[in-house]
Amino acid sequence: MTDLFEPTGEADPRLVAALGGRLGWFNRAGVLSAADVHVATRTGDLAGERDEKVLLAAALATRAVRTGSVGVDLETVRDIAPELPWPVADEWSAAVASSALLGAGVLRQELGLVYLDRYHRLERQIADDVLTRTSQPPPTVDEARLADALARVRGGHLSDEQAEAALAACRQWTTVVTGGPGTGKTTTVARMLALLSSQSDRPLSIALTAPTGKAAARLAEAVDDELPEGFADRVGRPEAMTLHRLLGWRPDNQTRFRHDRHNRLKHDVIVVDECSMVDLTMMARLLEAVRPQTRLVLVGDPRQLTSVGAGAVLSDLVEGLPEGLVRGLSRNYRSAAGIQAVADALRDAEGEADADAVLAALRAGSDDVELVETDDPAPVLRDRLVGHALDVRRLAAAGRDRDAVAALARHRLLCAHREGPRGVRTWNRAVEQWIGEATGEPIWSSWYVGRPLLVTANDHALEIYNGETGVAVLDGGRLRARIDGSRRGLTDLAPGRLDAVDTMHALTIHKSQGSQAAEVTVLLPEEGSRLLTRELFYTAVTRAQDRLRVVGTEGAVRAAVAARAQRATGLRQRLR
């Protein structure tokens, strides 16, 4: 995969004045940030490297990681700003190959990419660990027990593709299960755990995990609901936890965990949901901590947005692994038909011509999909957002915390950006102003009754986790924060104990991953936005269960369909 990242606009004139030359030109043009240049020049000084072409490659490799890629492709990177003085590709590649930075191990060159050493090692480690797992002898399976268990789990609804995925996980150590929202991934996981339990004479040790606490809790709740009758005692109630918690978070080290290659996890089965959100570093840490004889099931939708950190691990696994290890689910059982039609059109789109199909699905006039074509979203959004906020506020003021949290989940406003006229901060402030106008009680403080809350970082001491949501409620005349941890119920906290929380009248599409709402309003950015991609739009659309409203212009829809979020990685080639 190749990545064409855009200029950053982060030029530092003081640094440019000191440097000059190629790095100065690229910094001044906004292609490289001051940090990228500093890393390249500092490592160049330490290794005795003076060739500007090599230093430029090192700076671009640093920038690539910051934009989500694992390395930089010297053949294609020039397309981001053709007017700049790029080195000739062959000469550039040869200079890197014979450079002091490559000799010192700072840079690596392989598979058409130039890597920083750390990310080259992580990518190779993931490939090695996956290939080691897939090449070992398969687990022993009692086929008679398995057939009996399959007949029992088919008593509930189970499609052929779901059954095949569940059976595959019994017959191999590593299985990837893919599909969009509503395709029955968690139903499949529940049946899978039931079948696996039939192969053991003791209750299994099972871990259900995801990158965010909310996603992990949703997986565990779904398994509880979908587990076939007669298997509960053998499967039990596996605890939901974040990947950080599963691996053993260490306050002294943000990239290492208590469980690693020398202290493996003891579980018989580990299921990881929302794997599209798992970046290269976290996947490497997970794989090194999993015992060879643990069944590992990776679940996710490769068409969604990739991780915030570097890499595109799930899509690389889907493309790089043999077909039998990857099981896809396609039939949607949950989303309304109109929403599914939009999602399918986005999923199948290949180019500009397919924007017509997406627009047709949005304009079909179904009861569950609405396209509002406007340059001024405020009049469209005000009534829906204020009505929803006042419903939450009324319940929170009455101390009805569970009802307030449930009301919060009925609607989401999703934005591409945090800042700017169509960003989350703008609309959070607008809703608070509108609430004040509607109630006659202006909001002067960041904490107020009915404030919708989004946890933005893991807090292991308080046992609240990134992605969990909640509401500020009145309890006996005091303002309290109630965070929905799902499996453990509502966590009651004083507002002063919460640092990493945001107001959630509006939410970024990135932050919405791993969650759904009955009704979703998607506010598209201007068509020139660098964040506007097909993956972003698809992720936003598939958050909706019953009703979808898209607010934006035809140009923005066409721009989203035409743009792909691509990342430069080498993992799928290594797996092949």
Side-chain angles (χ1 to χ4, degrees):
M1 301 174 71
T2 58
D3 167 67
L4 301 182
F5 49 81
E6 295 188 8
T8 66
E10 298 171 355
D12 183 339
R14 293 167 299 174
L15 189 58
V16 170
L19 279 175
R22 265 202 177 99
L23 291 179
W25 295 331
F26 280 76
N27 175 238
R28 188 161 51 250
V31 172
L32 296 175
S33 72
D36 304 327
V37 173
H38 176 73
V39 170
T41 54
R42 179 60 177 156
T43 54
D45 288 342
L46 293 173
E49 180 62 66
R50 296 291 179 263
D51 189 329
E52 278 196 334
K53 297 190 295 296
V54 175
L55 297 180
L56 177 60
L60 289 168
T62 305
R63 182 68 177 92
V65 169
R66 293 175 57 198
T67 57
S69 290
V70 179
V72 60
D73 184 340
L74 301 184
E75 290 278 353
T76 61
V77 69
R78 67 185 60 245
D79 294 340
I80 64 174
E83 72 281 2
L84 291 176
W86 296 94
V88 176
D90 290 345
E91 296 177 2
W92 197 5
S93 180
V96 172
S98 61
S99 68
L101 285 181
L102 201 78
V106 175
L107 296 181
R108 302 291 181 181
Q109 192 172 22
E110 190 182 5
L111 302 175
L113 300 177
V114 175
Y115 297 81
L116 297 179
D117 176 64
R118 163 181 160 80
Y119 292 91
H120 182 261
R121 284 187 287 108
L122 288 171
E123 188 174 86
R124 287 190 61 181
Q125 179 202 316
I126 290 174
D128 290 345
D129 284 345
V130 170
L131 293 174
T132 297
R133 289 185 59 83
T134 58
S135 64
Q136 65 185 343
T140 301
V141 175
D142 186 325
E143 292 293 344
R145 282 189 178 188
L146 188 59
D148 178 67
L150 180 61
R152 292 166 63 193
V153 303
R154 278 193 182 276
H157 179 78
L158 190 69
S159 69
D160 288 343
E161 62 182 8
Q162 291 171 333
E164 289 170 3
L167 288 169
C170 294
R171 294 177 174 138
Q172 57 202 30
W173 297 113
T174 305
T175 306
V176 180
V177 180
T178 69
T183 54
K185 295 191 295 294
T186 52
T187 297
T188 303
V189 169
R191 303 299 197 271
M192 181 187 298
L193 296 178
L195 295 183
L196 285 170
S197 73
S198 74
Q199 298 296 302
S200 175
D201 293 326
R202 59 174 176 78
L204 296 176
S205 172
I206 301 169
L208 302 178
T209 184
T212 68
K214 192 68 172 179
R218 285 181 62 247
L219 173 64
E221 285 184 330
V223 167
D224 281 349
D225 293 341
E226 296 286 348
L227 196 64
E229 186 176 352
F231 290 93
D233 289 344
R234 302 189 63 80
V235 173
R237 288 176 56 87
E239 186 179 5
M241 64 189 84
T242 63
L243 278 168
H244 282 81
R245 187 177 169 203
L246 172 72
L247 294 174
W249 175 77
R250 287 172 50 180
D252 63 320
N253 193 320
Q254 298 302 306
T255 61
R256 288 289 180 180
F257 299 89
R258 287 190 295 104
H259 291 288
D260 56 20
R261 209 173 297 278
H262 307 291
N263 180 26
R264 306 265 194 170
L265 294 162
K266 307 302 182 187
H267 302 286
D268 300 306
V269 184
I270 297 174
V271 181
V272 187
D273 199 9
E274 297 294 342
C275 278
S276 64
M277 300 167 66
V278 180
D279 65 15
L280 194 78
T281 300
M282 184 57 77
M283 185 59 74
R285 300 298 174 246
L286 172 67
L287 288 170
E288 70 184 12
V290 176
R291 292 183 303 133
Q293 281 69 48
T294 292
R295 282 182 173 86
L296 177 63
V297 182
L298 304 175
V299 184
D301 185 351
R303 295 181 179 86
Q304 284 187 192
L305 286 166
T306 48
S307 58
V308 174
V313 179
L314 179 61
S315 59
D316 282 346
L317 290 173
V318 171
E319 293 293 329
L321 287 175
E323 184 176 345
L325 299 179
V326 181
R327 300 289 174 162
L329 307 179
S330 57
R331 181 179 174 185
N332 190 290
Y333 298 94
R334 188 172 62 208
S335 297
I339 298 170
Q340 186 58 36
V342 177
D344 288 346
L346 284 166
R347 183 193 64 203
D348 298 336
E350 293 294 340
E352 173 63 25
D354 293 313
D356 291 337
V358 176
L359 284 163
L362 288 168
R363 292 167 172 164
S366 66
D367 292 337
D368 46 291
V369 174
E370 177 185 12
L371 174 62
V372 182
E373 299 180 61
T374 179
D375 289 318
D376 182 12
V380 178
L381 297 180
R382 177 165 182 161
D383 287 346
R384 185 65 192 93
L385 295 178
V386 173
H388 179 247
L390 291 177
D391 285 345
V392 175
R393 179 186 174 94
R394 174 178 54 81
L395 294 166
R400 295 168 58 184
D401 51 5
R402 294 186 182 280
D403 292 336
V405 169
L408 180 63
R410 292 177 195 143
H411 181 264
R412 291 279 191 273
L413 170 63
L414 302 183
C415 306
H417 295 271
R418 287 186 59 82
E419 309 292 345
R422 296 196 172 214
V424 164
R425 291 190 188 278
T426 295
W427 293 101
N428 276 332
R429 288 193 297 266
V431 174
E432 290 173 345
Q433 179 182 335
W434 293 336
I435 291 172
E437 293 170 358
T439 62
E441 301 174 7
I443 294 173
W444 302 110
S445 170
S446 60
W447 282 95
Y448 52 87
V449 176
R451 181 191 180 191
L453 305 172
L454 172 71
V455 179
T456 59
N458 297 329
D459 190 321
H460 300 273
L462 297 179
E463 293 190 324
I464 59 173
Y465 299 97
N466 182 28
E468 293 182 342
T469 58
V471 178
V473 304
L474 276 183
D475 183 357
R478 298 179 305 159
L479 192 66
R480 305 290 293 181
R482 298 287 164 78
I483 305 298
D484 182 13
S486 296
R487 295 270 288 177
R488 63 180 181 277
L490 299 183
T491 300
D492 176 36
L493 295 165
R497 300 188 68 189
L498 290 170
D499 291 326
V501 291
D502 281 346
T503 300
M504 201 185 67
H505 294 296
L507 183 67
T508 64
I509 296 169
H510 273 89
K511 286 288 188 181
S512 74
Q513 287 183 271
S515 67
Q516 287 194 289
E519 180 181 350
V520 167
T521 299
V522 181
L523 179 59
L524 291 178
E526 301 292 343
E527 58 186 281
S529 167
R530 66 182 180 85
L531 295 182
L532 189 56
T533 65
R534 193 184 312 165
E535 290 81 1
L536 182 95
F537 197 11
Y538 174 84
T539 300
V541 164
T542 53
R543 299 312 92 199
Q545 292 176 296
D546 302 325
R547 182 166 176 77
L548 169 69
R549 180 184 299 103
V550 177
V551 180
T553 64
E554 177 178 326
V557 173
R558 291 189 178 278
V561 175
R564 295 295 307 275
Q566 294 182 306
R567 293 186 168 188
T569 75
L571 180 57
R572 66 183 59 185
Q573 293 97 311
R574 296 181 194 282
L575 293 173
R576 288 170 179 166

